[in-house]
Amino acid sequence: MQLSRQALQHHSIIPSSIWCHHNSTPISSASPVPHEPDNDSIASTAKQKNLAPIVTTVAAASTSQLAVSYFASCACLSDSRRFHSFLRTVPSDAFQAKAMARLLHLLDWTWVGVIAGDDEYGKSGSQLLLKELEGTGVCVDYVEVIPKSHSQSRIRRIIERIQSSTARVVVTFAIGPDLEVLFKEVVVQNVTNRQWIATEAWSTSTQYSDPATIPFLAGTIGFALRRADIQGLGAYLAQLSPVKQPNEPFVKDVWEEIFGCSLAQDWQPSNRPKCTGSENVEKHGRIYTDVSQLRVTYNVYKAVYAIANAIHNMMACQPGTGPFKDGECSDVTRIKPRQLLHYLNAVNFTTPVGELVYFEDNGEPSASYDIMNWHVDESGEVHFVQVGQFDAAKGPGQELNINLEKVVWGGGWAEQVKVL
């Protein structure tokens, strides 16, 4: 459902300075206002971002008050006064919004539409984006919110609004399942001349796009969590099986999901055919063994190693020289959250791919994203091609780099999409 500028002002979310006339002249008006209420496939299913996983990777039960998240990107969690024992290895959405704004400005896309999900991810992310666009010369023609009910009439009206707009660039801040219903209507209404901008929620995943949708999304440009090769992981996953690891519940669950069969005992009821345990993982289990897009997984890897490094440094403490009262060291047999947090805040190590891992004062990592581009071949297969990177550590004006010669543009455009 389209939201009018008056309705948005009523809900106090969108800065009025970025609402523009069709000729891109900023509308001068009231006070600030906002809007209404990989393959990494196994991990990416957790992106139902209302409650993105705040996973406690600390092993000891006594540390239940301390969390290190691999995927909770809400900017609200950056408030160290409220979440003083929360750390994460995924950047805050505030940085993704900043990166999007920089990209739009760099490519001189000054007339855009915004699509948001009706959840915390969509609301917060789009607010942050609109705030970043203030004063950049980028104007917003419309903001549309995908309803959680997925009402077909409202989805249809959203696509009609996209079609009727002269804004050729469509920026999205929504999770995959919401965009899936939207893209189905894109196909129905034959929306072919749009440049789509994706967040990390779907920039490297076709999980929510059926084959009919792919041609309409060719040329999509999106931001993705940094990718890494984790040496040995693919081979390790390929050799797992319920026959070799009969007591591993994770292997059992994934096996049943991949092959649509059951490992239940004969006396346990099941509607699925029985697994043999010797199903061909390499042939049919690619979603499980594909390690070409390890992005969320890499964040899990960093979280685990951060904990490991912290505990290692804790164990290396010499009595009388510790960081606590009277030179006290931690009792590693009874780890206290406060003490482990001290060591986590001091973590500083380099991963095998050369990334420096550390936490800033508010528990945030250094923010970086790969900029991805959807290249679709003649067979309809998508190739996710990295065409640039955003690295906040490089400082203002230097953080975003993109190789325009490698970019395939969306909407059937042979060259960079122009603002009409």
Side-chain angles (χ1 to χ4, degrees):
M1 180 176 68
Q2 182 189 355
L3 299 176
S4 67
R5 186 156 64 93
Q6 289 76 15
L8 291 167
Q9 288 174 335
H10 174 71
H11 286 283
S12 298
I13 304 180
I14 295 185
S16 56
S17 61
I18 65 171
W19 288 104
C20 300
H21 294 300
H22 177 65
N23 62 7
S24 295
T25 304
I27 292 176
S28 60
S29 69
S31 55
V33 290
H35 64 69
E36 176 187 70
D38 26 32
N39 251 346
D40 227 357
S41 300
I42 295 172
S44 69
T45 57
K47 191 68 174 177
Q48 313 320 307
K49 207 117 180 196
N50 285 341
L51 292 174
I54 303 175
V55 174
T56 304
T57 54
V58 183
S62 62
T63 60
S64 59
Q65 298 174 36
L66 177 61
V68 181
S69 173
Y70 63 80
F71 214 24
S73 59
C74 180
C76 59
L77 295 168
S78 298
D79 187 346
S80 57
R81 293 172 299 178
R82 294 174 58 200
F83 307 105
H84 60 276
S85 58
F86 173 82
L87 303 94
R88 53 183 164 188
T89 55
V90 60
S92 162
D93 286 331
F95 287 101
Q96 184 167 208
K98 186 185 294 290
M100 281 186 157
R102 295 289 188 278
L103 178 71
L104 295 174
H105 181 68
L106 176 68
L107 296 179
D108 199 29
W109 286 338
T110 56
W111 187 235
V112 304
V114 176
I115 302 294
D118 192 13
D119 51 30
E120 189 59 35
Y121 181 63
K123 291 176 182 177
S124 174
S126 56
Q127 285 182 44
L128 291 165
L129 172 63
L130 294 167
K131 183 69 176 175
E132 287 290 338
L133 291 178
E134 289 186 75
T136 65
V138 177
C139 299
V140 175
D141 183 27
Y142 59 84
V143 174
E144 294 288 347
V145 179
I146 304 173
K148 283 300 174 187
S149 65
H150 291 171
S151 162
Q152 192 56 42
S153 61
R154 291 182 64 184
I155 296 297
R156 189 181 307 115
R157 284 199 295 271
I158 291 173
I159 298 303
E160 288 171 354
R161 181 68 185 94
I162 294 173
Q163 278 276 56
S164 65
S165 173
T166 56
R168 297 290 183 246
V169 179
V170 184
V171 184
T172 66
F173 232 115
I175 61 175
D178 289 344
L179 288 166
E180 181 180 14
V181 296
L182 192 78
F183 293 150
K184 287 180 179 178
E185 187 63 23
V186 163
V187 176
V188 171
Q189 297 196 32
N190 195 32
V191 183
T192 59
N193 58 347
R194 293 295 183 271
Q195 172 69 60
W196 295 91
I197 307 297
T199 64
E200 35 71 54
W202 66 282
S203 62
T204 57
S205 176
T206 57
Q207 186 175 357
Y208 303 106
S209 302
D210 60 37
T213 308
I214 298 301
F216 293 83
L217 300 178
T220 290
I221 297 175
F223 293 87
L225 302 176
R226 185 169 180 179
R227 174 192 168 278
D229 291 316
I230 300 178
Q231 191 171 1
L233 179 60
Y236 175 75
L237 292 174
Q239 62 84 37
L240 290 177
S241 81
V243 173
K244 295 178 182 178
Q245 292 86 15
N247 298 320
E248 289 288 348
F250 175 75
V251 173
K252 174 181 177 294
D253 292 345
V254 172
W255 200 270
E256 291 180 331
E257 183 66 27
I258 290 174
F259 297 107
C261 57
S262 172
L263 288 165
Q265 300 295 327
D266 291 337
W267 53 269
Q268 294 175 309
S270 175
N271 296 324
R272 292 180 170 185
K274 192 171 182 61
C275 299
T276 66
S278 59
E279 286 80 6
N280 191 329
V281 174
E282 291 187 4
K283 184 177 181 180
H284 300 290
R286 187 181 174 193
I287 191 173
Y288 176 57
T289 58
D290 182 9
V291 292
S292 64
Q293 294 292 332
L294 296 180
R295 298 179 186 278
V296 179
T297 306
Y298 181 47
N299 280 336
V300 176
Y301 175 93
K302 290 188 287 185
V304 171
Y305 270 82
I307 295 289
N309 274 268
I311 294 176
H312 174 79
N313 294 337
M314 181 183 289
M315 293 176 68
C317 179
Q318 297 297 315
T321 63
F324 308 113
K325 186 178 179 181
D326 299 325
E328 179 188 22
C329 291
S330 301
D331 179 358
V332 294
T333 65
R334 294 176 59 85
I335 297 176
K336 297 178 180 178
R338 174 181 59 84
Q339 294 178 336
L340 183 58
L341 179 62
H342 169 85
Y343 282 98
L344 274 168
N345 283 327
V347 156
N348 191 310
F349 65 95
T350 302
T351 68
V353 297
E355 181 181 2
L356 182 63
V357 177
Y358 63 92
F359 297 105
E360 297 179 352
D361 292 341
N362 57 355
E364 302 281 354
S366 178
S368 65
Y369 297 94
D370 292 340
I371 301 175
M372 309 303 294
N373 188 211
W374 286 35
H375 292 197
V376 180
D377 61 25
E378 293 181 356
S379 69
E381 184 176 356
V382 179
H383 301 275
F384 302 116
V385 178
Q386 183 175 344
V387 295
Q389 188 174 56
F390 176 88
D391 187 350
K394 293 184 178 180
Q398 303 296 320
E399 66 269 63
L400 189 144
N401 289 286
I402 184 169
N403 184 349
L404 298 180
E405 294 181 358
K406 293 175 66 175
V407 175
V408 171
W409 303 103
W413 297 83
E415 52 188 31
Q416 184 177 330
V417 178
K418 304 296 184 183
V419 177
L420 301 182

PDB file of all heavy atoms in Angstrom, residues 48-62:
ATOM      1  N   GLN A  48      15.015 -14.361   9.302  1.00  0.00           N
ATOM      2  CA  GLN A  48      13.684 -13.844   9.581  1.00  0.00           C
ATOM      3  C   GLN A  48      13.890 -12.818  10.673  1.00  0.00           C
ATOM      4  O   GLN A  48      13.843 -13.102  11.846  1.00  0.00           O
ATOM      5  CB  GLN A  48      12.746 -14.971  10.028  1.00  0.00           C
ATOM      6  CG  GLN A  48      12.832 -16.196   9.152  1.00  0.00           C
ATOM      7  CD  GLN A  48      12.957 -15.863   7.680  1.00  0.00           C
ATOM      8  OE1 GLN A  48      12.156 -15.110   7.163  1.00  0.00           O
ATOM      9  NE2 GLN A  48      13.952 -16.409   7.001  1.00  0.00           N
ATOM     10  N   LYS A  49      14.128 -11.594  10.235  1.00  0.00           N
ATOM     11  CA  LYS A  49      14.892 -10.653  10.996  1.00  0.00           C
ATOM     12  C   LYS A  49      14.147  -9.920  12.099  1.00  0.00           C
ATOM     13  O   LYS A  49      14.700  -9.056  12.731  1.00  0.00           O
ATOM     14  CB  LYS A  49      15.476  -9.652  10.015  1.00  0.00           C
ATOM     15  CG  LYS A  49      16.743  -9.034  10.492  1.00  0.00           C
ATOM     16  CD  LYS A  49      17.895  -9.347   9.652  1.00  0.00           C
ATOM     17  CE  LYS A  49      19.114  -8.683  10.206  1.00  0.00           C
ATOM     18  NZ  LYS A  49      20.226  -8.578   9.407  1.00  0.00           N
ATOM     19  N   ASN A  50      12.893 -10.239  12.363  1.00  0.00           N
ATOM     20  CA  ASN A  50      12.230  -9.619  13.504  1.00  0.00           C
ATOM     21  C   ASN A  50      13.024  -9.890  14.769  1.00  0.00           C
ATOM     22  O   ASN A  50      13.216  -9.031  15.619  1.00  0.00           O
ATOM     23  CB  ASN A  50      10.815 -10.176  13.674  1.00  0.00           C
ATOM     24  CG  ASN A  50       9.883  -9.600  12.639  1.00  0.00           C
ATOM     25  OD1 ASN A  50      10.176  -8.570  12.057  1.00  0.00           O
ATOM     26  ND2 ASN A  50       8.783 -10.268  12.404  1.00  0.00           N
ATOM     27  N   LEU A  51      13.454 -11.123  14.909  1.00  0.00           N
ATOM     28  CA  LEU A  51      14.286 -11.514  16.036  1.00  0.00           C
ATOM     29  C   LEU A  51      15.498 -12.207  15.468  1.00  0.00           C
ATOM     30  O   LEU A  51      15.623 -13.420  15.539  1.00  0.00           O
ATOM     31  CB  LEU A  51      13.520 -12.457  16.984  1.00  0.00           C
ATOM     32  CG  LEU A  51      12.365 -11.812  17.739  1.00  0.00           C
ATOM     33  CD1 LEU A  51      11.607 -12.869  18.505  1.00  0.00           C
ATOM     34  CD2 LEU A  51      12.863 -10.746  18.703  1.00  0.00           C
ATOM     35  N   ALA A  52      16.381 -11.434  14.859  1.00  0.00           N
ATOM     36  CA  ALA A  52      17.575 -12.023  14.281  1.00  0.00           C
ATOM     37  C   ALA A  52      18.359 -12.709  15.382  1.00  0.00           C
ATOM     38  O   ALA A  52      18.366 -12.259  16.514  1.00  0.00           O
ATOM     39  CB  ALA A  52      18.426 -10.932  13.637  1.00  0.00           C
ATOM     40  N   PRO A  53      19.021 -13.821  15.070  1.00  0.00           N
ATOM     41  CA  PRO A  53      19.638 -14.626  16.105  1.00  0.00           C
ATOM     42  C   PRO A  53      20.697 -13.885  16.900  1.00  0.00           C
ATOM     43  O   PRO A  53      21.666 -13.406  16.358  1.00  0.00           O
ATOM     44  CB  PRO A  53      20.245 -15.800  15.332  1.00  0.00           C
ATOM     45  CG  PRO A  53      20.369 -15.307  13.944  1.00  0.00           C
ATOM     46  CD  PRO A  53      19.235 -14.361  13.733  1.00  0.00           C
ATOM     47  N   ILE A  54      20.479 -13.795  18.192  1.00  0.00           N
ATOM     48  CA  ILE A  54      21.498 -13.280  19.093  1.00  0.00           C
ATOM     49  C   ILE A  54      22.065 -14.512  19.768  1.00  0.00           C
ATOM     50  O   ILE A  54      21.614 -14.937  20.818  1.00  0.00           O
ATOM     51  CB  ILE A  54      20.908 -12.304  20.118  1.00  0.00           C
ATOM     52  CG1 ILE A  54      20.214 -11.166  19.382  1.00  0.00           C
ATOM     53  CG2 ILE A  54      21.973 -11.764  21.053  1.00  0.00           C
ATOM     54  CD1 ILE A  54      19.497 -10.197  20.288  1.00  0.00           C
ATOM     55  N   VAL A  55      23.015 -15.145  19.095  1.00  0.00           N
ATOM     56  CA  VAL A  55      23.463 -16.452  19.521  1.00  0.00           C
ATOM     57  C   VAL A  55      24.606 -16.342  20.513  1.00  0.00           C
ATOM     58  O   VAL A  55      25.620 -15.721  20.251  1.00  0.00           O
ATOM     59  CB  VAL A  55      23.921 -17.278  18.301  1.00  0.00           C
ATOM     60  CG1 VAL A  55      24.528 -18.589  18.751  1.00  0.00           C
ATOM     61  CG2 VAL A  55      22.726 -17.528  17.404  1.00  0.00           C
ATOM     62  N   THR A  56      24.414 -16.947  21.662  1.00  0.00           N
ATOM     63  CA  THR A  56      25.460 -16.974  22.661  1.00  0.00           C
ATOM     64  C   THR A  56      26.407 -18.098  22.318  1.00  0.00           C
ATOM     65  O   THR A  56      26.061 -19.260  22.425  1.00  0.00           O
ATOM     66  CB  THR A  56      24.870 -17.195  24.058  1.00  0.00           C
ATOM     67  OG1 THR A  56      23.906 -16.188  24.299  1.00  0.00           O
ATOM     68  CG2 THR A  56      25.944 -17.130  25.115  1.00  0.00           C
ATOM     69  N   THR A  57      27.606 -17.737  21.887  1.00  0.00           N
ATOM     70  CA  THR A  57      28.563 -18.755  21.487  1.00  0.00           C
ATOM     71  C   THR A  57      29.488 -19.131  22.632  1.00  0.00           C
ATOM     72  O   THR A  57      30.420 -19.889  22.453  1.00  0.00           O
ATOM     73  CB  THR A  57      29.395 -18.256  20.294  1.00  0.00           C
ATOM     74  OG1 THR A  57      29.975 -17.000  20.619  1.00  0.00           O
ATOM     75  CG2 THR A  57      28.531 -18.102  19.080  1.00  0.00           C
ATOM     76  N   VAL A  58      29.239 -18.580  23.791  1.00  0.00           N
ATOM     77  CA  VAL A  58      30.035 -18.919  24.961  1.00  0.00           C
ATOM     78  C   VAL A  58      29.636 -20.305  25.429  1.00  0.00           C
ATOM     79  O   VAL A  58      28.462 -20.636  25.519  1.00  0.00           O
ATOM     80  CB  VAL A  58      29.796 -17.900  26.091  1.00  0.00           C
ATOM     81  CG1 VAL A  58      30.673 -18.220  27.283  1.00  0.00           C
ATOM     82  CG2 VAL A  58      30.093 -16.504  25.589  1.00  0.00           C
ATOM     83  N   ALA A  59      30.610 -21.137  25.728  1.00  0.00           N
ATOM     84  CA  ALA A  59      30.330 -22.527  26.051  1.00  0.00           C
ATOM     85  C   ALA A  59      29.792 -22.721  27.466  1.00  0.00           C
ATOM     86  O   ALA A  59      28.943 -23.556  27.705  1.00  0.00           O
ATOM     87  CB  ALA A  59      31.591 -23.357  25.863  1.00  0.00           C
ATOM     88  N   ALA A  60      30.316 -21.974  28.419  1.00  0.00           N
ATOM     89  CA  ALA A  60      29.970 -22.233  29.809  1.00  0.00           C
ATOM     90  C   ALA A  60      28.585 -21.707  30.151  1.00  0.00           C
ATOM     91  O   ALA A  60      28.204 -20.618  29.773  1.00  0.00           O
ATOM     92  CB  ALA A  60      31.005 -21.577  30.725  1.00  0.00           C
ATOM     93  N   ALA A  61      27.833 -22.493  30.890  1.00  0.00           N
ATOM     94  CA  ALA A  61      26.472 -22.100  31.256  1.00  0.00           C
ATOM     95  C   ALA A  61      26.462 -20.853  32.115  1.00  0.00           C
ATOM     96  O   ALA A  61      25.524 -20.060  32.086  1.00  0.00           O
ATOM     97  CB  ALA A  61      25.791 -23.241  31.991  1.00  0.00           C
ATOM     98  N   SER A  62      27.530 -20.646  32.878  1.00  0.00           N
ATOM     99  CA  SER A  62      27.585 -19.498  33.785  1.00  0.00           C
ATOM    100  C   SER A  62      27.705 -18.181  33.046  1.00  0.00           C
ATOM    101  O   SER A  62      27.622 -17.122  33.637  1.00  0.00           O
ATOM    102  CB  SER A  62      28.778 -19.655  34.737  1.00  0.00           C
ATOM    103  OG  SER A  62      29.986 -19.683  34.003  1.00  0.00           O
TER     104      SER A  62
END
